[in-house]
Amino acid sequence: MKRNNCQGLPSRMPDNTAFQQQQLPACRPSLTARAVLPGFFATGVSFLGMGILLILSAKSVKEIEITYTDLCSNCSKLRENASNFYKECTCSIPFFIPEKMPGNVYMYYKLHNFYQNYRRYIISRNNRQLLGEDNTDVENCAPFQRASNDRPIAPCGAIANSMFNDTILLSYYPNSSTGINVPLLSSEITWWTDKHVKFQNPKSSNLSSAFAGTAKPPYWRKPVYQLDQENPENNGFLNNDFIVWMRVAALPTFKKLYRRIHRIQQFADGLPAGNYSLDISYNFPVTVFKGEKGVVLSTATWSGGKNFFLGVAYTATGAMTWLAAFSLMAVHLKLKKKKASFQC
Amino acid sequence: MGTDGGARRKETAAREEGDQGQEEPRRHRQQQRHRRRRESKTRTVRSNLLPPPGGGEPDVATKGAPHRWWWSQGGSQYLADNRLKTTKYTVLSFLPKNLFEQFHRLANVYFVLIALFNFVPVLNAFQPELALAPVLFILAVTAIKDLWEDYSRHRSDHEINHLDCLVYCRDEKKFVNRYWKEVRVGDFVQLRCNEIIPADILLLSSSDPDGLCHIETANLDGETNLKQRQVVREFLELDAEFNPLKFTSIIECEKPNNDLSRFRGNIIHENGKKAALYKENLLLRGCTIRNTEEVTGIVIYAGHETKALLNNSGPRYKRSKLERQMNMDVLWCVLILIVMCLFSAVGHGLWVRQYGERKKPLFDVPQSDGSDLSPVLAAVYLFLTMIIVLQVLIPISLYVSIEIVKICQVFFIHQDKELYDEETDSKLQCRALNITEDLGQIQYIFSDKTGTLTENKMIFRRCTVSGIEYSHDANARRIAMYQEADSEEDEAAPKGGTLSQRGSIGSHQSVKVVHRTQSTKSHRRTGSRAEAKRASILSKHTAFSSPMEKDITPDPKLFEKVNECARCLEIMRNQEKSLSHLTPELADIFDFFIALTICNTVVVTAPNQPRHKVRVRFELKSPVKTIEDFIRRFTPSRLTSGSNSGSSSSLSTSKSTHKTGSSFLSTLSTESTLLKLEAGLTRSSPKMNTNGYGVQPGGGWATENGLKEGELRYEAESPDEAALVYAARAYNCSLVGRLPDQVSVELPYLGRLTFELLHTLGFDSIRKRMSVVIRHPLTDEINVYTKGADSVMMDLLLPCSSDDSRGKHQKKIQSKTQNYLNFYAADGLRTLCIAKKVLSKEEYACWLQSHLEAESSLENRDELLFQSAIRLETNLHLLGATGIEDRLQDGVPETIANLRQAGLQIWVLTGDKQETAVNIAYACKLLDHDEEIITLNAESQETCAALLEQCLYYVESKFSDSEVKKSLGKVNVGVASLHPPSPSAATCPNLGLVIDGKTLAYALDKTLEDKFLSLARRCRSVLCCRSTPLQKSMVVKLVRNKLKAMTLAIGDGANDVSMIQVADVGVGISGQEGMQAVMASDFAVPRFRQLEKLLLVHGHWCYSRLANMVLYFFYKNAMFVALLFWYQFYCGFSASSMIDQWFLIFFNLLFSSLPQLITGVLDKDVPAEILVTVPQLYKSGQNTEEYQPYMFWMNMIDATYQSLVCFFIPYFAYHDSDVDIFSWGTVITTIALFTIILHLGIETKTWTWLHWTACSFSILIFFIVALVYNASCSTCFPPSNPYWTMQRLMGDPMFYLTTIISSVVALLPRFLYRTFQGTLFPTQLQLGRQLARWGPKEFSVHKDTISQQHPVGEQGLESTASKGSDTSGPHPQDHSPLASQSGHQPASVTESRSGHRTANVNAQSLKNTVMDSLRGHSPVPQRPEGAVQEGPPGDSEGESSTREVSPLSSILDLPDFSLLNWISSTPLFNGFGRAFRFSQSSLQTDVLGSTFFSIGSQLDQDLKGLKRETSDCFQEKVKGTAAVCHNSENLETTFL
C-alpha cells in the first residue's frame, strides 16, 4: 500500500488545529435576563434621547401645505376633458403664513394618488436617450416611442409624457394691496449627479437642431427644447423640472421639489409671516384618477422635513425597551431569590 | 503474489461489492424482466472450450467474442459477463442525463421555469439573462459534484475489473492471466491460495488430496472462520490431473438468485450419468481461498449475476428526515406564494377597474399598441409577473446552501481527532454527504455483534478443574497489559519522552516471554496492542490468532499440576501400571486438557505460504478399522461422522450435509456394518494397546514440510474452539495434527499421543454441546468428551449418590463448579463445561448400532441422530469449566449505556449462535441480569404465532400493571414508592427479547410482523440471533416503515451490508473484516465506541445546525419577500418593486448567505463535552425539537412582523417626502439586511471570529457592491438606474436613523422572547449551554475533585451507606461474588460525595439546579407532574435498579441528589452511581412517603419546602453531624 504502517506518525491522523477540531475560541452569549439588562437600559436611554432630539428638530420645521385641486375646481373640471387640452386656466389662491419661515424655504408640489411607481410606468423610459447619446433610441419606451408620423419621441416614455406641467408663482403681500413676486430659484433642486451625469442634451450648436427629427411627447404642449427658453442651462433634457419629474417617486402620494426661495431682499432670512398668494397655471389633470395636488412650503433641518414619526418611534421604542428592561429585572431578581433559597 | 498483494486484492474486491450495490437494483429489475420472458427455471452451462452446441465456429471462446454463451432453451441469450459497472454516466450521456436527474428535483424545475418566464415580454420583470444566472450557477455546482462522484465510481470499477486471475486458454493449453472482467460463464478458472474468487465457480479440482478447498467467507457473511468446499464428486476420483479440455459435461443449475445458502444443480456427464451438485461445490465470488494451494473450477455465474452481488439489495436514495420535512415546508411556501400572487392579481384587477374604461390616468400606461388591458387580463398577467417577483420566497439558494453546509459538516466530522483510530490508522469516513443531520435524530440502532461490539477475539480467561478455580491472574494481567500499554502509548506519544514508562512495559513483557512456552515471536516486539494488532491485521490469513489470543499465560498452580500429572503418567506407562492409580484430581486435570485439545474441529496448519494442512498421517491400516474405513470411504468427505465436518456455525446447514451422507449410507446394509464392527472391536483392543504405547519412542510420526514445533496454527470454525486449543497448548498439551480418523496430541513427558477418533457429534444449538468419541491410547478405553453450555451440561451429569465419600466429593465439585460458572457468566465470560464419560465396549457397541441405524434411516434422520446423540451424552463425569472472553471493544458497555440514556433503542442482530449472542449481550450491558428475557424459539409459523400472542399478552399484562402504578404515581407519588422497591417492581417492563433466525423468519411474515413489532418495541433490548443478512435488513425495514422511526444500522461484515443499506443511516466498522460494510455504509467508523461521539456530538450538531439554518432560510426569504408584497399595496398591485433587481436577485446569493453558512457549519449549540456527558440532550434531535412544524409558522409570523416593521418604519419615515423609489428601496434593503443578519446573531449560539468576520463581511460587501454598482454606470440596468443612490443616502442622517430603529424594533420581540424563555423556561439544550459556560476546564476540574476526594472524605459513612443500599436496593443477590463486590461500591461513592459536598455545595448550587432540571426534563415550576410523567420512559432506558429513583430525585430538586445523579450519569462513575442511588432512593422514598399523604393542591409549595428541608437534612447527615431534622422514622431506619 501507499503508506508505511510502521514508522512515523500515522498519515491519516487529522490535524489537531482548533479549527478542524471545532474548538475555536468562542464566546457563547446566553440570552438570560442578567446578561441583557445593561444592554436594554443603554438602548432605552439612547433611544429616548434620540427620539426627543428628533421630535424637537421636526418641531422646528415650518411647513405649509395648500391643496389646490378643490380650490381651483373650475380648472379641475376643465382638465377632466381632454379636448380642452390647449385651453389656459389659471387660478390664484391666497393664504396666510402665521409664523416666519426662517432659513431656506423650499417649494414642493405634491400629488396625491398618482402612482408614479406603477410598474409599467416606471419602466417606460430610456436613459440613453436622456443622456443625449441617441435621440432615436426609444427602446423600452412603449407605448410612447414614436409619434404618429413615426418620429421618435424625445423624451420618450410614459414618465416623460406625464410630466407635471403646472406653473406655480408665489406672491407676498406685505400689505393688502400690492404683491411682490417671491423670487424662486429652479437651480439646484435636482441631484447633482442627475444634472451632470445622467441627463445631457444631444450635442449640437443649438437645442432645436439637436432635437430635430424628434417629436414631442403627446401630452406636452411644447417640445422639449422649449421647456425654458430663457435659460439654456435649464432647457431640453437638462430642464430641472423635467429631471425632478423623471426621478420616480416611491409612493403614490409624493411631493417633488419645485423651487426654492431665492434669499434676497426681504426674503434673505426666509419667508416672513404675512399674506401670500399662489398663482397657478393649472394644466395637470388629477381629478381623472381621483387625485389631488397641492403646494408645500417648507423649511428643512438635518433630519428632513416636518415628520414627527421617527422621533415618536424612537421615543416609543426607548420607552418600550425600558419597560422590557424593568420586567426583565423583576424576573431576574425573582429567580435570584429562588436560587439564593437553595443555598442557605 | 505476496501477502501484500492478497490484502490489496481483498480490499478492492470488497470495495467492488459495496459499490456494486448501487447498480444492483437496475440489474435486478432487468433480470426479473428476463426471468418473466423465459419460462425455463434452469440455466445450462457448458464448457467454454467446447464448440457451441450448434456447431459453427469451433473456437469462438478464445477470441473473446461476447456471444459465446447460450441458453439451452430460448435460443441465444447473452449472459452477464464478469465486468462490473456501477457508473451512471458516460461521456456523452452525462449532460442530458444529469440535467434530467437534476430536474427530478422539483425546485430546479421551478427555478428554471421562473427564469424562463422572464423571457416572456408581457411579464418580464427582470432582465432575463440576469434572472437565469443563479439557476445556472446552481445547476452547474450540482453537475460538477455528480461528475466527480461518478468518476470515482468509475475508477474503483476499473480497478476491480482489471484484477488478474488465471483462465484456461484453449490455444495455449494452459492457464493464462486474464482480467476479471474477461471471465465468462463456462470459463475454467484456476485460483491459488489467498486469492479472491472472481465469480461463482463450480469446484472441479483441488490440490487437496481429499478434494477440499477452504474458503473464507468474511466478505460475504462476515464470518472469518474457514469453510470447506468440496470438489464435485466424480472429479474427486480422477486419477490424473484435471484437464479442462476433457470436460464435456453439461451443468444444469438454478437461475441466478441471491440465496447464499443454496445451490442446486446437476452435472450431466457425457455418458448420460447425472449427478447432483450442492452448495458445497460452489465457490462464491468475493470469498477468499485459504489453506488450499490450487483449485480449478468452471464459472457458473459471473458479474452481476453472482450471488454475492445479487445479495446486495441496492441502496435507496437517501434523503434525510429533515429534508423531507423541509420539502413539506417548501410546499407551504409555494402555497403562500400562490396566495400572495392571487391576492395581488385580484387587487390589481380591481385597481385597474376602478379607473374605468374612460378615465385612464396618466400613469396607467397602455400597451405598446396603445390599447388598454382589460382588468381580468391584466390580473392574469400580473399573477405570473408576481410569481417572478416573489420567487425568492422559495429559496433558490436553500438547496445549494444545504449542500455546501453538509459538505463542510462532513469535513469536520472527518477531521475529528476522536473519531480517529490509531490502531488501524483509520478515521471516520463519511460516504453519504446528504444525511449528516439524520445522525442527530436516530431512534433505533441495529447493531451487528461480532466485530462490531466485540473485537471478535476469543481469549481464554480462567478455568476450574474438579472444583478448584484457577484464576489465571497472570493471564488477566497480560490482557490488561495490552490495553494499558496501548493507553500508555497514547499518553506517551504527545509527551514525547516517558521512557521510563515504556521501559517498564518492556520489562514486564520480557518476564512474560519467559512464561510463555510456545509463542510466535514475530508479533511480540513491543507490548503495544496497537502494534500487535497491526501485525495481526497484516497476517490476517491466520484466522483468530492475534498474540493476545494465542499467548496464554498459564496459571502456575495448574501448570504445576499438569506437569505432575504428566510425570506420573509417564512413570506409570513405563511401569505398565493402570492409569487408575492417578489421584482423581490429577486424572480430571489430564482429561480436562485432553478434552480441550481434541473435543473440537480445529484444523492444524503450518504457517508456511501457501499453507498446507499438516498431514501427519499415521498409517494405521489395520483390519480393526474396517468398519470405520468402510463408512468413511463411502461417505463423501467424512461429512457424516468425519471430524472436519462443516459445523453448524458455517454457512452450511447440517441438514444438507446429512442428506449427502444419507443417500450413501442408505445403500449400506446396517447389519453387515454392525457385524464387522463387533468383530473389529473384539480384535482391536490388544493391538491398539500396543500401538498406543509402542509408537511413542519410535517416532513413527512423519512430519511434512520440515514442520517445527510451535509454529503450528490452529484454524477453527469458531474462535472459542481455537481459544481453548491455545489454552491447552499453554499447558504444553498441544494439538499437533488432526485427521478425519485420528487426533494427535503432544504432551509433556509423554510425547505424542494419538487418539483414534470414532465419532464427532457436532455442535447444534438445541443440544448446545458437542462430543467426540475417542479411543484413549493409554487406557484403550472408549471415552466420550463433551463440552457444552453449562445450562444443559449440568443436567447430564452422573447423578452422584450422597452415600459414599466419593459421591459427596463429586457433588461438592459440581456445586463448586456451578458457582464458578455463575461467577464467570456474571463476569461476562462465555462459559463451557467439560465433561467426560467412559464407555464400556458393550455400551459403545450398543450405542453404535442404534447410531448407525439412525444414520442410515431415511425418514426423520435428523431426529434420530439427535436422539442418538442424546443417548450418548448422559451420565457424564464433570471435569471442569472454562471461561472465555469474547473481548468487547473498548468502551462498548459505556457507549451502549450512554446511547441508551440518549434515548436510543439498541437492537442487536447477529448471525451468531443464541448462547454466544446472549452472553455478549450481557457483557456489553445490553441485557441485564435482573432483566426478564423473553426467548422466542419456534419451529413453525403456528407455534411462532402462538408464542408471540402469549408473550404479548404477558407483556401487556405487565405493562398494564405498571401502567396502573404509573398513574398511581401521578396522583400520589408517595404512595406508590412508599414501599421499598419490591421484586415485582423490578420486573416491570424491563424486558429483553431474544429471537432466533428461524423464528424471526416466521415473525417477519406479513401476518405476524405487527405482533412481533409491538412486542419488540416494548422490550428494552432486542437480540436477534442466527439471522441472515436478508433478515437483518427486513427487521430494519420493518422498524423503519412500521414505526416510522429513524434507524441506524452498524456492522462490519458483508453480512451487514443489506441492513446498512436499508437503514436510514448505515454505519460500517472499518478495519476489521473486509471493506464491504464500509463501502455500503454512509459513515464508517473504526470503532464502535466512536458511534457515541458521532451521534451525540456530530449528529446533534449537524441536526441542530441544519434545522436552524433551514428555519432561518425560510424566515429570511419570507421576510424579504413580504417587503415586496407590502409594497404592492402602494403601487396598485402592479408588481413593481422598490428594491433594485440586482439587490433582489443577489440578496440571497451574495449578501446574506455567508453568515448563515458559517453558522450552519460552525455553530455549536452545546459544546461537545456537555453533549457527551449529558446524553439526554440527544433527545432534542429525536423529538425533532429544533424543527417542528409549528416553528416554521412561528418563523413565518415573525418574518411577517419583521417585514411589516422594516417596511412601515421607512414608509412613515419617508412619508410625504420627495424620496424616489429606489433610494427608498435601498433604505429598505439595508434595513432588511441588518435585520436578517442580526436575527441570525440572536440565533447563533457560539461566536467565533469566523462568525464575526462573516457578518461584518456580509454587511461590508453589501455596501461595497451597492456603492460600486451605483457608481458604475449612469445609463445601465433599466429600469432602476440607481446611479449614485447609495452614495447620496449615506450622506443623509435619516438613512442611519431609520436603519437603526427599524432593525431594533424588528428584532426586539424575538430578542425578548429568547431572553424570557431562556431565563424562565430554559430548554434542556439551553441548560446544557449554561452548563458549558462554566467552561470545559472548570468542568473537568469539577469532575476531578470528585474523583480525588475519594479517599480523603472518609467519615465513617461506609457502613451506613452500604447498609442503606443493601436494605433498600432491589439489587440482585444471586451472584455471590458480585454481591460482595457491589457492597463496596456504594461506600466509596459516599465518600466521594461527602468530600465533594463540603467542597462544592455553595459554589455549585446554581450548577446543581441546572443539572437537576436538565435531568428532570421540565422547567422548574412544573416539575412535580411533569417529571413523573417524564420519568418512566427515561428510566426504562436507564439502569433497571434506578427505576424508582430518577423521577423522584428530579421531583425533589435536591441539589446534592441531582448532582449525584449527574455524577453517576457520567461514564466515569457509572458503576458507582448505580449502586449509590439505591440508598438515595430509599431516603427520598421515605421522606416523601411520610409527608406526601397530606399534599393536595399545594403540592408545589410543599414540595419546595420539602426540598429545602430534605436537602438540609441530608447535608447534615452526610457530614456526620447529629441527625437533627428527622422527617420520618423510615428515614432514620434506612439511613442510620
Side-chain angles (χ1 to χ4, degrees), chain B residues 122-250:
Chain B
V122 202
L123 305 177
N124 88 26
F126 303 121
Q127 285 182 319
E129 302 81 16
L130 197 64
L132 214 50
V135 182
L136 288 181
F137 173 74
I138 278 153
L139 289 180
V141 167
T142 318
I144 287 167
K145 198 193 98 208
D146 288 348
L147 189 68
W148 184 76
E149 278 177 2
D150 205 52
Y151 178 67
S152 53
R153 268 200 296 273
H154 167 77
R155 265 200 333 216
S156 98
D157 282 358
H158 185 268
E159 197 177 323
I160 286 148
N161 280 333
H162 288 77
L163 287 175
D164 285 329
C165 69
L166 287 172
V167 177
Y168 195 83
C169 172
R170 188 188 157 109
D171 285 346
E172 298 177 41
K173 300 246 186 305
K174 64 170 187 181
F175 288 96
V176 295
N177 256 329
R178 283 267 174 77
Y179 289 137
W180 273 32
K181 63 172 182 179
E182 292 167 343
V183 173
R184 300 186 194 277
V185 175
D187 274 347
F188 290 91
V189 175
Q190 187 170 67
L191 296 161
R192 305 239 164 100
C193 194
N194 294 334
E195 281 188 353
I196 296 167
I197 301 165
D200 288 356
I201 290 169
L202 191 71
L203 186 60
L204 295 177
S205 141
S206 166
S207 61
D208 185 286
D210 297 319
L212 292 180
C213 165
H214 293 259
I215 59 170
E216 189 185 283
T217 55
N219 280 348
L220 278 188
D221 55 17
E223 297 179 27
T224 36
N225 54 14
L226 298 183
K227 311 260 158 52
Q228 283 182 349
R229 289 291 182 265
Q230 173 112 45
V231 168
V232 176
R233 204 161 32 249
E234 275 69 21
F235 295 92
L236 179 62
E237 285 143 22
L238 282 181
D239 295 329
E241 192 143 304
F242 173 74
N243 185 354
L245 285 173
K246 288 188 184 149
F247 183 87
T248 51
S249 313
I250 295 167

Side-chain angles (χ1 to χ4, degrees), chain B residues 392 1112-1123 1139 1147-1148 1151-1156 1159 1198-1199 1202-1203 1206 1228-1244 1247 1255 1258-1259 1299 1302-1304 1306-1307 1310:
Chain B
V392 205
Y1112 175 73
F1113 242 112
F1114 284 123
Y1115 146 80
K1116 188 181 84 176
N1117 290 290
M1119 137 72 171
F1120 194 64
V1121 160
L1123 293 174
I1139 298 171
F1147 189 82
N1148 259 328
F1151 305 140
S1152 62
S1153 60
L1154 194 66
Q1156 86 196 0
T1159 306
D1198 193 28
Q1202 292 191 13
S1203 66
C1206 293
I1228 287 185
T1229 316
T1230 318
I1231 292 170
L1233 185 75
F1234 272 101
T1235 308
I1236 279 169
I1237 285 175
L1238 288 175
H1239 178 110
L1240 186 70
I1242 294 178
E1243 296 297 306
T1244 303
W1247 286 86
C1255 288
S1258 275
I1259 290 169
T1299 308
S1302 306
S1303 308
V1304 169
L1307 292 171
R1310 174 167 282 262

Side-chain angles (χ1 to χ4, degrees), chain B residues 1246-1292:
Chain B
T1246 309
W1247 286 86
T1248 66
W1249 62 269
L1250 275 165
H1251 291 83
W1252 292 112
T1253 317
C1255 288
S1256 0
F1257 176 77
S1258 275
I1259 290 169
L1260 214 65
I1261 195 120
F1262 169 72
F1263 281 103
I1264 289 172
V1265 165
L1267 288 174
V1268 169
Y1269 165 60
N1270 286 354
S1272 59
C1273 177
S1274 56
T1275 58
C1276 329
F1277 322 115
S1280 51
N1281 189 20
Y1283 191 72
W1284 224 248
T1285 307
M1286 196 61 178
Q1287 284 82 344
R1288 211 180 144 87
L1289 274 176
M1290 287 179 77
D1292 180 7

Side-chain angles (χ1 to χ4, degrees), chain B residues 511-527:
Chain B
V511 171
K512 266 185 279 140
V513 171
V514 178
H515 264 288
R516 263 182 292 112
T517 47
Q518 295 168 335
S519 67
T520 46
K521 292 181 180 66
S522 57
H523 304 321
R524 304 285 293 158
R525 279 191 311 274
T526 71

Side-chain angles (χ1 to χ4, degrees), chain B residues 1425 1492-1500 1502:
Chain B
E1425 286 84 13
F1492 249 75
F1493 288 108
S1494 58
I1495 291 174
S1497 58
Q1498 294 171 317
L1499 191 79
D1500 248 25
D1502 284 16

Side-chain angles (χ1 to χ4, degrees), chain A residues 1 3 5-6 10-16 19-33 36 40 43 47 50 54 63 65 108 110 113-125 127-128 131 140 142-144 158 162 190-194 197-198 219 247-257 284-285 288-290 302-304 307 309-310 313-314 317 320-321 324 327-328 331-332 335 338-339 341-344, chain B residues 4 11 122-125 348 351 354-355 359-368 373 385 411-412 414-417 420 422 425 427 534 1098 1101 1105 1127 1130-1132 1134-1136 1161 1164 1167 1209 1211-1221 1223-1224 1242 1245-1250 1274-1275 1278-1279 1281 1283-1285 1288 1293-1294 1297-1298 1300-1301 1304-1305 1308 1311-1312 1314-1316 1318-1320 1329-1330 1332-1333 1402 1405-1406 1409 1420 1453 1508 1512:
Chain A
M1 314 254 295
R3 231 165 16 79
N5 260 329
C6 308
S11 61
R12 270 184 267 183
M13 173 96 171
D15 296 339
N16 189 13
F19 174 68
Q20 271 156 301
Q21 300 305 320
Q22 303 192 59
Q23 297 289 350
L24 284 174
C27 86
R28 243 177 252 115
S30 77
L31 294 179
T32 54
V36 299
F40 265 72
T43 318
F47 271 39
M50 181 52 79
L54 278 169
E63 189 184 86
E65 180 178 340
Y108 301 87
K110 183 168 180 177
N113 232 356
F114 189 93
Y115 286 85
Q116 232 196 349
N117 54 15
Y118 186 65
R119 194 178 128 263
R120 268 184 290 150
Y121 180 85
I122 295 177
I123 60 176
S124 184
R125 67 189 282 165
N127 289 323
R128 245 172 323 171
L131 201 59
N140 295 333
F144 303 102
S162 63
T190 63
W191 291 20
W192 187 90
T193 49
D194 284 359
V197 181
K198 281 175 79 174
Y219 292 176
R247 184 158 283 279
V248 177
L251 298 164
T253 296
F254 60 90
K255 59 183 187 184
K256 282 182 183 291
L257 192 53
F284 198 73
V288 198
F289 52 89
K290 299 183 191 88
W302 59 278
S303 63
N307 190 339
F309 176 78
L310 264 189
Y314 266 94
T317 311
M320 285 288 294
T321 325
S327 57
L328 277 175
V331 166
H332 173 61
L335 276 186
K338 209 161 130 203
K339 274 171 196 162
S341 72
F342 287 130
Q343 288 181 342
C344 60
Chain B
D4 217 356
E11 202 167 295
V122 202
L123 305 177
N124 88 26
H348 184 65
W351 186 84
Q354 70 171 322
Y355 296 111
K359 302 175 178 178
K360 275 289 155 203
L362 288 169
F363 47 84
D364 188 5
V365 182
Q367 283 190 289
S368 46
L373 275 172
T385 317
F411 168 79
F412 280 117
H414 261 266
Q415 293 299 321
D416 192 329
K417 240 178 2 152
Y420 168 80
E422 208 189 338
D425 185 30
K427 61 184 178 192
R534 227 166 270 156
H1098 288 293
W1101 278 349
R1105 286 165 179 174
Y1127 189 59
Y1130 299 96
C1131 68
S1134 64
S1136 67
V1161 172
K1164 293 193 284 190
I1209 287 186
Y1211 173 81
F1212 286 115
Y1214 285 93
H1215 181 72
D1216 208 15
S1217 75
D1218 59 346
V1219 71
D1220 68 299
I1221 177 166
S1223 297
W1224 189 65
I1242 294 178
K1245 280 102 185 178
T1246 309
W1247 286 86
T1248 66
W1249 62 269
L1250 275 165
S1274 56
T1275 58
N1281 189 20
Y1283 191 72
W1284 224 248
T1285 307
R1288 211 180 144 87
M1294 276 286 280
L1297 287 173
T1298 320
I1300 291 169
I1301 184 100
V1304 169
V1305 172
L1308 200 62
F1311 194 75
L1312 265 179
R1314 287 268 178 241
T1315 312
F1316 273 115
T1319 315
L1320 289 174
R1329 213 174 302 145
Q1330 288 186 23
R1333 276 169 61 80
N1402 294 323
S1405 66
L1406 185 69
T1409 40
V1420 182
D1453 196 16
R1508 212 169 307 146
D1512 291 344

